Amino acid sequence: MVFEQIATGGCQSYLIGCDDTCAAALIDPELSQIDHYIALASRDGVRIRYLIDTHTHADHFSATKELARQLNVPVIMHRRSPAPFVDMRLADGEMVVLGKLRLRALHTPGHTADSMCLQVNDRVFTGDTLLIGGTGRTDLPSGDPEQLHDSLFNKLLKLDAALKVYPAHDYKGRSHSTIAEEIANNPRLQKRERSEFVEMMNTLNLTMPTHITEALRTNMSGGKTVAHLLAAATATVPFMSLGELKARVEAKEDDLIVLDVRERDAYEGGHVPGARLLPRGQLELRVNTELPDPTRRILACCELGYISTLAAATLREMGFAHAVALDGGMKAWRESGYPLTTGRDP
């Protein structure tokens, strides 16, 4: 059996494949590691045939939809998953055939309603249902401590005690555990009575994941992350350095329109001399009157360089083929001691 464990911070992904057929599945892939997964599969001589998420993730961005687009392979989740891009929806006890391997799905709701574990050979991929020394939290959307109790004590922990446990997260550098070790040592599993377990889960008072809203939005709908949008924009937009812009401002060149896409108060607090104000939120509506000549060279600038990159990409899509963005933004411009004009330009 081909097996690779890939850690991304606290997130754990798994590449598992059949030696005989070279068919592989990727479990809980993370968006920033796409090239790494493809390289590992190539190195191990396997072809990724399935992309599997054990549940709707709330603390990182799943790579399943993007990898499915690149590799033209199906996405698999439990049938309770809300994601519209899922191609194969598993019910409890159903299997994914991977060459000579059989990945059996166990519906284990509690962390989320669509949580499932995958058992294959001597191991079980537990998602966020069972962690090493912990369990998944139950205070996120569709979480339920009573269901988690049932999933753990009436299903998962009744599996072969020797099974190796590979969770979707671990923050202490541990690779795996076993069912027996978790039953004996996991502090959350010592609360075996349902009422005690539910009370414990309801009083954990955990902090929310950093990107919970964006992660849930994109993982549930298949929408794009902000980082994805920025990466796509960056791939289509040229940039101008701070020094180059300073030189052009000092030379008083009139072939470049500097377009400040911040809000008015930020613009009036200090902007590049001669820059025009056109807030990003009004760009599409005002561009025809503010920028009547699509052949002009336009440099978009904002505070940190992100919004201006998106603005420049939008301008290019609208036909302004010479739109560029300022590398670094106004924060870097100020910190470099470059000239500023306050208030409204005449």
Side-chain angles (χ1 to χ4, degrees), residues 43-77:
R43 187 195 70 182
D44 292 346
V46 294
R47 179 187 173 193
I48 298 173
R49 298 292 300 275
Y50 298 110
L51 303 161
I52 307 174
D53 267 330
T54 56
H55 62 288
T56 300
H57 298 284
D59 55 356
H60 71 268
F61 304 112
S62 171
T64 51
K65 185 184 178 186
E66 178 60 23
L67 274 167
R69 184 189 66 80
Q70 291 188 26
L71 303 177
N72 193 29
V73 297
V75 174
I76 299 175
M77 292 186 73

Side-chain angles (χ1 to χ4, degrees), residues 67 75 118 140 149 162 240 244 263 266 277 282 339-341 344:
L67 274 167
V75 174
L118 296 166
L140 299 180
H149 181 274
M240 182 178 290
E244 178 71 15
E263 294 302 315
L277 173 65
Q282 302 174 32
L340 289 168
T341 297
R344 302 188 184 193

Side-chain angles (χ1 to χ4, degrees), residues 5-14 28-34 36-37 59-61 168-171:
Q5 183 173 15
I6 306 99
T8 309
C11 302
Q12 302 290 331
S13 304
Y14 303 95
D28 289 329
E30 202 272 344
L31 189 59
S32 68
Q33 294 278 27
I34 284 179
H36 189 189
Y37 300 134
D59 55 356
H60 71 268
F61 304 112
H169 293 91
D170 184 79
Y171 300 93

Side-chain angles (χ1 to χ4, degrees), residues 45-341:
V46 294
R47 179 187 173 193
I48 298 173
R49 298 292 300 275
Y50 298 110
L51 303 161
I52 307 174
D53 267 330
T54 56
H55 62 288
T56 300
H57 298 284
D59 55 356
H60 71 268
F61 304 112
S62 171
T64 51
K65 185 184 178 186
E66 178 60 23
L67 274 167
R69 184 189 66 80
Q70 291 188 26
L71 303 177
N72 193 29
V73 297
V75 174
I76 299 175
M77 292 186 73
H78 186 264
R79 66 180 184 181
R80 293 286 302 275
S81 167
F85 54 85
V86 176
D87 302 292
M88 184 189 300
R89 296 178 182 272
L90 298 178
D92 186 54
E94 294 180 345
M95 295 187 301
V96 176
V97 175
L98 195 64
K100 294 186 176 181
L101 300 177
R102 301 293 186 269
L103 280 66
R104 184 167 73 100
L106 303 168
H107 185 210
T108 53
H111 173 61
T112 62
D114 64 348
S115 288
M116 67 177 180
C117 300
L118 296 166
Q119 182 185 353
V120 55
N121 292 0
D122 64 343
R123 61 201 65 197
V124 57
F125 300 97
T126 57
D128 278 8
T129 300
L130 177 62
L131 307 178
I132 301 174
T135 65
R137 61 196 297 166
T138 57
D139 59 341
L140 299 180
S142 83
D144 187 316
E146 294 198 6
Q147 287 187 340
L148 183 60
H149 181 274
D150 287 340
S151 295
L152 289 168
F153 292 100
N154 297 330
K155 184 175 288 186
L156 192 55
L157 300 180
K158 290 186 176 181
L159 297 176
D160 184 347
L163 280 177
K164 298 175 183 176
V165 171
Y166 288 93
H169 293 91
D170 184 79
Y171 300 93
K172 297 183 179 179
R174 300 165 295 193
S175 63
H176 67 280
S177 179
T178 65
I179 295 288
E181 289 169 351
E182 292 309 307
I183 291 174
N185 302 318
N186 190 320
R188 291 195 191 172
L189 301 184
Q190 307 316 306
K191 303 285 188 180
R192 299 179 186 274
E193 292 297 325
R194 177 190 292 266
S195 59
E196 292 182 340
F197 181 85
V198 169
E199 181 182 6
M200 173 188 66
M201 296 304 298
N202 284 336
T203 55
L204 288 177
N205 196 28
L206 302 172
T207 57
M208 285 292 117
T210 304
H211 303 290
I212 178 172
T213 300
E214 187 181 14
L216 286 174
R217 172 180 61 79
T218 56
N219 293 336
M220 290 175 68
S221 69
K224 293 183 178 180
T225 67
V226 173
H228 193 172
L229 290 170
L230 280 170
T234 301
T236 64
V237 171
F239 291 82
M240 182 178 290
S241 71
L242 298 171
E244 178 71 15
L245 177 58
K246 177 176 179 288
R248 290 175 179 271
V249 168
E250 291 175 343
K252 298 183 178 180
E253 295 185 0
D254 59 3
D255 66 335
L256 178 68
I257 296 175
V258 180
L259 195 67
D260 195 316
V261 297
R262 297 175 297 168
E263 294 302 315
R264 178 170 294 279
D265 57 348
Y267 170 84
E268 293 183 355
H271 54 267
V272 174
R276 301 185 189 179
L277 173 65
L278 180 51
R280 174 66 187 88
Q282 302 174 32
L283 183 64
E284 289 86 349
L285 297 177
R286 293 174 50 190
V287 68
N288 291 330
T289 41
E290 298 291 336
L291 302 169
D293 185 355
T295 67
R296 293 291 301 274
R297 191 177 189 189
I298 302 166
L299 179 135
C301 62
C302 67
E303 184 64 16
L304 299 175
Y306 303 137
I307 295 174
S308 57
T309 301
L310 295 172
T314 298
L315 287 169
R316 284 181 162 253
E317 289 176 2
M318 297 179 73
F320 294 87
H322 305 295
V324 301
L326 180 63
D327 185 21
M330 290 304 300
K331 182 174 185 293
W333 179 271
R334 289 194 303 272
E335 290 174 349
S336 297
Y338 292 163
L340 289 168
T341 297

